[in-house]
Amino acid sequence: MEVKILGIGMTKFGELWSKSLVDLAEEAAVKAVKDAHLQLAALDAIFVGNMLSGVVTGQEHLGALIAERLNLKIPAMRIEGACASGAMAVYQGIQGIASGRFKRVLIIGVEKMTDLSSAEVNQALMGASAEDEEGVNGLTFASLYALMAKAYMEKYGLKEKDLAAVAVKNHYHASLNPLAQFPFKVTLKQVLESPMIADPLKVLDCSPITDGAAALVLSRRQLTVDGGQIPVSIIGNSLVSDTLSLSARKDLIEQVATKKAVAEALKMAGIKLEEIDLAEVHDCFTIAEIISLESLGFFKKGTAAKATARGETRLDGSLPVNTSGGLKACGHPVGATGVKQIIELVLQLRGQAGKRQVKKAKIGLAQNLGGSGSTAVVHILKRENHA
Amino acid sequence: MEVKILGIGMTKFGELWSKSLVDLAEEAAVKAVKDAHLQLAALDAIFVGNMLSGVVTGQEHLGALIAERLNLKIPAMRIEGACASGAMAVYQGIQGIASGRFKRVLIIGVEKMTDLSSAEVNQALMGASAEDEEGVNGLTFASLYALMAKAYMEKYGLKEKDLAAVAVKNHYHASLNPLAQFPFKVTLKQVLESPMIADPLKVLDCSPITDGAAALVLSRRQLTVDGGQIPVSIIGNSLVSDTLSLSARKDLIEQVATKKAVAEALKMAGIKLEEIDLAEVHDCFTIAEIISLESLGFFKKGTAAKATARGETRLDGSLPVNTSGGLKACGHPVGATGVKQIIELVLQLRGQAGKRQVKKAKIGLAQNLGGSGSTAVVHILKRENHA
């Protein structure tokens, strides 16, 4: 069944020291409900995507916490799937609607990460991977993805400058997005000369530590509200898991979960991959965007980096990718990211993306990953009655 | 719609230092699948209820972690609602089935709590309450419930021995449950003379810190497997939230969320409260069982403690409550508790509860709370084709 996106709202992404997690959640929620031309009281349930609140602030039980702030006494659940928590919350919210239980649900992805030191957050993030195997042996997320980058570079002769092209493109997109954490361009030279984090990944190959929230109002039917938004629907989705530990994979540079998820989502949507006009993919590191684009099937293996360098995935290219700026430059508040990806697609499909508007965008795809590809969630969105 | 419970499985509850969280989850899951006369490959999705893994072990992303251990590459989600995480996972799993997405789902409630010191766990548990208001001001869960006990005692003239009757009864039940953490009886004198934790609650008024896991296999339809189990269905359920902070409540000794949840669950089930034969309720503290029984409507306000002392909620009483031993004596691995409550009802409704079997049990109710009553989840179970 199709689910309608009635409203969207997000905070600025960045280092937001003056706002608490619940402040951010409220801000995004209120914006989304306003965008939907509704009142908070019209909501039936809340699904919160969040990974790290327990570790960062000692606060669990975010469903009830956020419901209290919104003055709602309705079912409220927290959903966690590491960096895929946001898209997982959307996936659960859609099930709640499809089950007949709820008519309208609020999805909130939220993360407050800058209250810890960078080292502490990096350790906490290893909770997304096999902590007792990878974490305790000193691996960080940058080094997990560096292993993938090394394997990819060796197999396909990729150079560091090919990876850097992803960062340059996503920073260019972010420069057109006022809510992005890093709304400025970088050059290939800047990326290549930035400090090494985990060979071959440099700091400008990595997504940042970010605070932020993003919210959606989903509905079973489109409401005929005067002045309501241009209708956008979720026409297909899928969530698939793969091994948590990288060592248990047969192939480091193929995302098995992504491959399966996109096939299922396309089947549900009843469309072909070629019909997708633009995509938001999980570029937690530059190499992640390359592998994601190939695992999704947009490019043949070994070719996505070169296509990126040629501009094919830029705003004006044949398949614009991460027009929001991606995790790389829009920022990566982990629980919010999957929801923000969907918001970017909605803006594009409605024609409300301002300076970064993709022309004639009708169908978009979002891919959100948890861990090193251990959870993959794909959503496909379509603008209705394309006028 | 009705959802069938095909299989149940749980570990021993207790201080299980030799087993990891994923060991416990696997053990319960394998038992539940075996009990259902199925293979793991017959499952479509996994819903994991867990609160504290991130804080206790640094491991988040339990869906993918447990799926990997079970060698399954299927949708796997973690659901968190503090001490109601287990029942919340069941609630989400039922939505997954009702939505038409999944035919058979595995629910696993799991918690590993004894890897931290008691003081550390008590601090971590405050993540279930309003941490930045109640936690930082030095409140513990025992003191939150002690405030409720004080208010109740003042209003209804309750004595400490009336509270103690709950502990005596639940320990008696646990003495008949080989999987209970404390499978032994205690006397009223022992409870009253046990060390004070938060006046008026003594150590034997409090549920313990526990490791353990509990699992269910749920299905859209009853499978006609040779040797399959006696069919038990979930015929009604509801999840409701209330304020996270106690100070925001109008009344300390009424659970608004429980009242609303039981009304909705009864309506969905199409039955009256009087038809319930037995109940598992959230007795994290003795006072919690009293307030829960009254908020559920089983007893008038101010009368549940006296009824307990008269034996009405004992195994052989008119409404057996917490025949498993409850959180108090069976143990309280927080994410597992809500699932364990349902397992106890299934055992009773199937007639497999051994020495603690309730006679002619046909319909049972489970109530699981998060925080100080901030989330309430009610499930109603019925034995089919009562023969």
Side-chain angles (χ1 to χ4, degrees), chain B residues 62-368:
Chain B
L62 295 190
L65 176 77
I66 293 171
E68 178 178 354
R69 174 64 75 95
L70 297 176
N71 203 24
L72 294 174
K73 295 191 176 183
I74 56 177
M77 282 73 61
R78 172 186 168 212
I79 313 295
E80 190 268 323
C83 302
S85 298
M88 192 179 277
V90 177
Y91 180 82
Q92 293 289 342
I94 290 172
Q95 280 175 30
I97 290 173
S99 73
R101 184 129 213 164
F102 307 123
K103 284 184 192 160
R104 290 184 210 94
V105 305
L106 176 66
I107 313 293
I108 303 175
V110 59
E111 208 77 53
K112 179 79 183 147
M113 302 175 76
T114 66
D115 286 351
L116 293 184
S117 70
S118 180
E120 288 168 322
V121 172
N122 272 297
Q123 190 180 339
L125 284 169
M126 284 308 286
S129 83
E131 168 59 21
D132 68 351
E133 174 187 334
E134 297 168 337
V136 298
N137 286 308
L139 282 162
T140 61
F141 258 94
S143 58
L144 285 168
Y145 275 92
L147 289 169
M148 299 184 210
K150 285 279 188 190
Y152 189 105
M153 290 166 82
E154 182 164 317
K155 184 158 185 182
Y156 296 115
L158 193 78
K159 299 286 189 296
E160 293 183 22
K161 71 175 168 51
D162 302 320
L163 283 175
V166 174
V168 172
K169 184 260 299 176
N170 288 350
H171 269 272
Y172 164 62
H173 290 165
S175 76
L176 305 173
N177 182 356
L179 295 180
Q181 182 168 10
F182 300 137
F184 52 78
K185 297 185 222 177
V186 297
T187 64
L188 205 62
K189 188 162 178 284
Q190 282 177 305
V191 179
L192 291 171
E193 291 179 355
S194 65
M196 188 66 80
I197 300 294
D199 184 17
L201 301 176
K202 290 159 286 289
V203 70
L204 286 176
D205 286 298
C206 307
S207 61
I209 304 295
T210 312
D211 304 325
L216 302 173
V217 177
L218 302 181
S219 168
R220 179 190 296 265
R221 291 200 188 84
Q222 183 68 32
L223 292 181
T224 52
V225 181
D226 280 344
Q229 294 287 0
I230 295 154
V232 173
S233 293
I234 297 174
I235 60 173
N237 74 344
S238 179
L239 185 153
V240 179
S241 62
D242 193 3
T243 66
L244 202 62
S245 60
L246 207 54
S247 66
R249 311 261 174 89
K250 283 184 186 160
D251 187 343
L252 287 182
I253 56 176
E254 181 176 74
Q255 296 163 359
V256 172
T258 293
K259 280 184 74 169
K260 199 171 165 191
V262 69
E264 289 181 358
L266 287 168
K267 189 178 173 191
M268 184 185 289
I271 64 162
K272 291 179 178 170
L273 189 69
E274 295 69 35
E275 296 180 61
I276 306 283
D277 297 312
L278 79 166
E280 291 280 307
V281 309
H282 198 88
D283 60 322
C284 49
F285 300 92
T286 48
I287 183 66
E289 178 164 321
I290 301 300
I291 297 177
S292 290
L293 287 174
E294 295 175 4
S295 295
L296 285 164
F298 287 123
F299 297 94
K300 285 185 184 164
K301 285 187 183 182
T303 69
K306 292 282 162 59
T308 302
R310 285 194 303 269
E312 291 181 26
T313 57
R314 208 170 45 198
L315 203 48
D316 52 356
S318 54
L319 180 77
V321 173
N322 285 331
T323 55
S324 68
L327 286 61
K328 172 67 205 83
C330 187
H332 184 26
V334 294
T337 283
V339 182
K340 180 223 70 175
Q341 292 180 320
I342 290 175
I343 288 177
E344 177 66 13
L345 294 180
V346 171
L347 287 172
Q348 293 285 358
L349 297 176
R350 284 181 182 172
Q352 298 173 344
K355 290 181 181 174
R356 64 186 191 282
Q357 182 64 49
V358 173
K359 285 177 191 158
K360 295 185 185 170
K362 192 173 168 183
I363 301 181
L365 178 148
Q367 174 238 21
N368 188 195

